[in-house]
Amino acid sequence: MLSPESLGFVAGALITLGFIPQLIRVFKLKSAREISLLFNSSLLAGIILWLTYGIFLSLFPVILWNGIAAVLVAILLYAKLKYGRQ
Amino acid sequence: MLSPESLGFVAGALITLGFIPQLIRVFKLKSAREISLLFNSSLLAGIILWLTYGIFLSLFPVILWNGIAAVLVAILLYAKLKYGRQ
């Protein structure tokens, strides 16, 4: 039951799905002043690289969750650019 | 040069070190209203699970960066609780 594979699924789900309340919060407040642009960009670049890493090593949970996270973080970056230039 | 291992190192570095400007921003503004508490807690739980996943599969970059990220996200959670209750 507690295989590394299932751990990876739960870990990725927690992180990736956690971006949903963060996105809701920023869009609801229409403010992203506190979100660091450097954090956001660095995160997006890193997620795309993890996705590549997962593809190289055929780590399914890594591919799945980083693929979805890339989309969510791209939306957060859009929100930052729209609502909160530094 | 572009081994999966080195990819994992760069990916993890980008994400983990990206939390540093985010922490600086929140501590400087003394405000964490826009940071979702659910995002922050979910992120911390997920990072701890990725760390466990990395230990199970002996994935060194996963262990290294998630270990450091856990500390940084714990500090962000502290900042959220201190500066911005929902």
Side-chain angles (χ1 to χ4, degrees):
Chain A
M1 187 62 202
L2 200 74
S3 64
E5 184 94 330
S6 64
L7 254 181
F9 269 107
V10 179
L14 281 168
I15 294 180
T16 299
L17 302 179
F19 277 95
I20 296 173
Q22 181 59 62
L23 281 173
I24 291 171
R25 188 143 186 91
V26 165
F27 278 101
K28 211 165 138 188
L29 294 172
K30 291 192 196 309
S31 171
R33 188 173 143 258
E34 292 163 5
I35 310 291
S36 153
L37 183 60
L38 190 54
F39 162 72
N40 211 322
S41 330
S42 177
L43 199 64
L44 185 58
I47 287 168
I48 291 166
L49 288 190
W50 271 132
L51 180 62
T52 318
Y53 175 83
I55 292 167
F56 263 118
L57 297 183
S58 304
L59 300 163
F60 186 61
V62 177
I63 297 169
L64 176 75
W65 293 120
N66 283 290
I68 300 173
V71 177
L72 296 175
V73 176
I75 300 172
L76 188 62
L77 183 59
Y78 165 80
K80 171 65 187 174
L81 294 174
K82 186 168 177 183
Y83 296 128
R85 280 177 191 281
Q86 288 199 66
Chain B
M1 188 58 203
L2 199 72
S3 64
E5 184 95 330
S6 64
L7 252 182
F9 269 108
V10 178
L14 280 168
I15 294 180
T16 299
L17 302 179
F19 277 95
I20 296 173
Q22 181 58 61
L23 281 173
I24 292 171
R25 189 142 185 92
V26 165
F27 279 100
K28 210 165 137 188
L29 294 172
K30 292 192 197 306
S31 171
R33 189 174 141 258
E34 292 163 5
I35 310 290
S36 152
L37 182 61
L38 189 56
F39 163 72
N40 210 323
S41 330
S42 176
L43 200 65
L44 185 58
I47 287 168
I48 291 167
L49 289 189
W50 270 133
L51 181 62
T52 318
Y53 175 82
I55 292 167
F56 263 117
L57 297 182
S58 303
L59 299 163
F60 186 60
V62 176
I63 297 168
L64 176 75
W65 293 120
N66 282 291
I68 300 172
V71 177
L72 296 174
V73 176
I75 300 172
L76 188 62
L77 184 59
Y78 166 80
K80 172 64 188 173
L81 294 175
K82 186 169 178 180
Y83 295 129
R85 280 178 191 280
Q86 287 199 68

Coordinates of all heavy atoms in Angstrom, one line a residue, chain A residues 27-60:
Chain A
F27 N -7.0 35.5 -7.2 CA -8.0 36.0 -8.1 C -9.1 36.7 -7.4 O -9.7 37.7 -7.9 CB -8.5 34.9 -9.1 CG -7.6 34.7 -10.2 CD1 -6.7 33.6 -10.2 CD2 -7.6 35.6 -11.3 CE1 -5.8 33.4 -11.3 CE2 -6.7 35.4 -12.4 CZ -5.8 34.3 -12.4
K28 N -9.4 36.2 -6.2 CA -10.5 36.7 -5.4 C -10.1 38.1 -4.8 O -10.9 39.1 -4.9 CB -10.8 35.8 -4.2 CG -12.2 35.8 -3.7 CD -12.4 34.5 -2.8 CE -13.2 34.8 -1.6 NZ -13.2 33.7 -0.7
L29 N -8.8 38.2 -4.3 CA -8.3 39.4 -3.8 C -8.0 40.4 -4.9 O -7.8 41.6 -4.6 CB -7.1 39.2 -2.9 CG -7.3 38.4 -1.6 CD1 -6.0 38.1 -0.9 CD2 -8.2 39.2 -0.6
K30 N -7.8 39.9 -6.1 CA -7.3 40.7 -7.2 C -6.1 41.4 -6.8 O -5.9 42.6 -7.2 CB -8.4 41.7 -7.7 CG -9.6 41.1 -8.4 CD -10.5 42.1 -9.1 CE -11.8 41.7 -9.4 NZ -11.9 40.4 -10.1
S31 N -5.2 40.7 -6.1 CA -4.0 41.3 -5.7 C -2.9 40.2 -5.6 O -3.2 39.1 -5.1 CB -4.2 42.0 -4.3 OG -3.0 42.4 -3.8
A32 N -1.7 40.5 -6.1 CA -0.6 39.5 -6.0 C 0.7 40.3 -5.6 O 1.7 39.9 -6.1 CB -0.5 38.8 -7.3
R33 N 0.5 41.3 -4.8 CA 1.6 42.1 -4.5 C 2.6 41.3 -3.6 O 3.9 41.5 -3.8 CB 1.1 43.3 -3.6 CG 2.0 44.4 -3.3 CD 1.3 45.5 -2.6 NE 2.1 46.0 -1.5 CZ 2.0 45.8 -0.2 NH1 1.0 45.0 0.2 NH2 2.8 46.4 0.7
E34 N 2.1 40.4 -2.8 CA 3.0 39.7 -1.9 C 3.7 38.5 -2.6 O 4.6 37.9 -2.0 CB 2.2 39.1 -0.7 CG 1.7 40.2 0.2 CD 0.6 39.7 1.1 OE1 0.3 38.5 1.1 OE2 0.0 40.5 1.9
I35 N 3.2 38.1 -3.7 CA 3.8 37.0 -4.4 C 5.1 37.5 -5.1 O 5.0 38.5 -5.9 CB 2.9 36.4 -5.5 CG1 1.5 36.1 -4.9 CG2 3.5 35.2 -6.2 CD1 1.4 35.0 -4.0
S36 N 6.2 36.9 -4.8 CA 7.5 37.3 -5.5 C 7.5 36.9 -6.9 O 7.3 35.7 -7.2 CB 8.6 36.8 -4.7 OG 9.8 36.6 -5.5
L37 N 7.8 37.8 -7.8 CA 7.9 37.4 -9.2 C 9.0 36.5 -9.5 O 8.9 35.5 -10.3 CB 8.1 38.7 -10.1 CG 8.2 38.6 -11.6 CD1 6.9 38.0 -12.1 CD2 8.4 39.9 -12.3
L38 N 10.1 36.7 -8.8 CA 11.3 35.8 -8.9 C 10.9 34.3 -8.4 O 11.3 33.4 -9.1 CB 12.4 36.3 -8.1 CG 13.8 35.7 -8.3 CD1 14.2 35.7 -9.7 CD2 14.9 36.4 -7.4
F39 N 10.2 34.3 -7.3 CA 9.7 33.0 -6.8 C 8.9 32.3 -7.9 O 9.1 31.1 -8.2 CB 8.9 33.2 -5.6 CG 8.0 32.0 -5.2 CD1 8.5 30.9 -4.6 CD2 6.6 32.1 -5.3 CE1 7.7 29.8 -4.2 CE2 5.8 31.1 -4.9 CZ 6.3 29.9 -4.4
N40 N 7.9 33.0 -8.4 CA 7.0 32.5 -9.4 C 7.7 32.0 -10.7 O 7.4 30.9 -11.1 CB 6.0 33.6 -9.7 CG 4.6 33.0 -10.1 OD1 4.5 32.0 -10.7 ND2 3.6 33.7 -9.7
S41 N 8.6 32.8 -11.2 CA 9.3 32.4 -12.4 C 10.2 31.2 -12.2 O 10.3 30.3 -13.0 CB 10.1 33.6 -13.0 OG 9.6 34.8 -12.6
S42 N 10.9 31.3 -11.1 CA 11.9 30.2 -10.7 C 11.1 28.9 -10.5 O 11.6 27.8 -11.0 CB 12.6 30.7 -9.4 OG 13.4 29.8 -9.0
L43 N 10.0 29.0 -9.9 CA 9.1 27.8 -9.7 C 8.7 27.2 -11.0 O 8.8 26.0 -11.2 CB 7.9 28.3 -8.9 CG 7.1 27.2 -8.1 CD1 7.9 26.6 -7.0 CD2 5.8 27.9 -7.5
L44 N 8.2 28.0 -11.9 CA 7.8 27.5 -13.2 C 8.9 26.8 -13.9 O 8.7 25.7 -14.5 CB 7.2 28.7 -14.0 CG 6.5 28.3 -15.3 CD1 5.4 27.2 -15.2 CD2 6.0 29.5 -16.1
A45 N 10.1 27.5 -14.0 CA 11.2 26.9 -14.7 C 11.6 25.5 -14.0 O 11.8 24.5 -14.7 CB 12.4 27.9 -14.6
G46 N 11.6 25.5 -12.7 CA 12.0 24.3 -11.9 C 11.0 23.2 -12.2 O 11.4 22.0 -12.4
I47 N 9.7 23.5 -12.2 CA 8.7 22.5 -12.5 C 8.8 21.9 -13.9 O 8.7 20.7 -14.1 CB 7.3 23.1 -12.3 CG1 7.0 23.3 -10.8 CG2 6.2 22.2 -12.9 CD1 5.8 24.2 -10.5
I48 N 9.1 22.7 -14.9 CA 9.3 22.2 -16.2 C 10.6 21.3 -16.3 O 10.5 20.2 -16.9 CB 9.4 23.4 -17.2 CG1 8.1 24.1 -17.3 CG2 9.9 22.9 -18.6 CD1 8.1 25.4 -18.0
L49 N 11.6 21.6 -15.5 CA 12.8 20.7 -15.4 C 12.5 19.4 -14.7 O 12.9 18.4 -15.1 CB 14.0 21.4 -14.8 CG 14.6 22.5 -15.6 CD1 15.9 23.0 -14.9 CD2 14.9 22.1 -17.0
W50 N 11.7 19.5 -13.6 CA 11.3 18.2 -12.9 C 10.5 17.3 -13.9 O 10.6 16.1 -13.8 CB 10.4 18.5 -11.7 CG 11.1 18.7 -10.4 CD1 10.9 19.7 -9.5 CD2 12.2 17.9 -9.8 NE1 11.7 19.5 -8.4 CE2 12.5 18.5 -8.6 CE3 12.9 16.7 -10.2 CZ2 13.5 17.9 -7.8 CZ3 13.9 16.2 -9.4 CH2 14.2 16.8 -8.2
L51 N 9.7 17.9 -14.7 CA 8.9 17.2 -15.6 C 9.8 16.5 -16.6 O 9.6 15.3 -16.9 CB 8.0 18.2 -16.4 CG 7.0 17.7 -17.5 CD1 6.0 16.7 -16.9 CD2 6.3 18.9 -18.1
T52 N 10.8 17.2 -17.1 CA 11.8 16.6 -18.0 C 12.5 15.4 -17.3 O 12.8 14.3 -17.8 CB 12.8 17.6 -18.4 OG1 12.1 18.8 -18.7 CG2 13.6 17.2 -19.7
Y53 N 12.9 15.7 -16.0 CA 13.6 14.6 -15.2 C 12.7 13.4 -15.0 O 13.2 12.3 -15.2 CB 13.8 15.3 -13.8 CG 14.4 14.4 -12.7 CD1 15.8 14.2 -12.6 CD2 13.6 13.8 -11.7 CE1 16.3 13.4 -11.6 CE2 14.1 13.1 -10.7 CZ 15.4 12.8 -10.6 OH 16.0 12.1 -9.6
G54 N 11.4 13.6 -14.8 CA 10.5 12.5 -14.7 C 10.4 11.7 -16.0 O 10.3 10.5 -15.9
I55 N 10.4 12.5 -17.1 CA 10.3 11.8 -18.4 C 11.5 10.9 -18.6 O 11.4 9.8 -19.0 CB 10.0 12.8 -19.5 CG1 8.6 13.5 -19.4 CG2 10.2 12.2 -20.9 CD1 8.4 14.7 -20.2
F56 N 12.7 11.5 -18.3 CA 14.0 10.8 -18.5 C 14.0 9.5 -17.7 O 14.4 8.4 -18.1 CB 15.1 11.6 -18.0 CG 15.8 12.3 -19.1 CD1 15.9 13.7 -19.1 CD2 16.5 11.7 -20.1 CE1 16.5 14.4 -20.1 CE2 17.2 12.4 -21.1 CZ 17.2 13.7 -21.1
L57 N 13.5 9.5 -16.4 CA 13.6 8.4 -15.5 C 12.3 7.6 -15.5 O 12.1 6.7 -14.7 CB 14.0 8.8 -14.1 CG 15.4 9.5 -14.0 CD1 15.6 9.8 -12.5 CD2 16.5 8.5 -14.5
S58 N 11.3 8.0 -16.3 CA 10.0 7.3 -16.4 C 9.3 7.2 -15.0 O 8.8 6.2 -14.6 CB 10.1 5.9 -16.9 OG 10.6 5.9 -18.2
L59 N 9.3 8.3 -14.2 CA 8.7 8.4 -12.9 C 7.3 8.9 -13.1 O 7.1 10.2 -13.2 CB 9.5 9.2 -12.0 CG 11.0 8.8 -11.7 CD1 11.8 9.9 -11.1 CD2 11.0 7.6 -10.8
F60 N 6.3 8.1 -13.2 CA 5.0 8.5 -13.5 C 4.4 9.6 -12.7 O 3.9 10.6 -13.2 CB 4.0 7.3 -13.7 CG 2.7 7.7 -14.2 CD1 2.5 8.3 -15.5 CD2 1.5 7.5 -13.4 CE1 1.3 8.7 -15.9 CE2 0.3 7.9 -13.9 CZ 0.2 8.5 -15.2

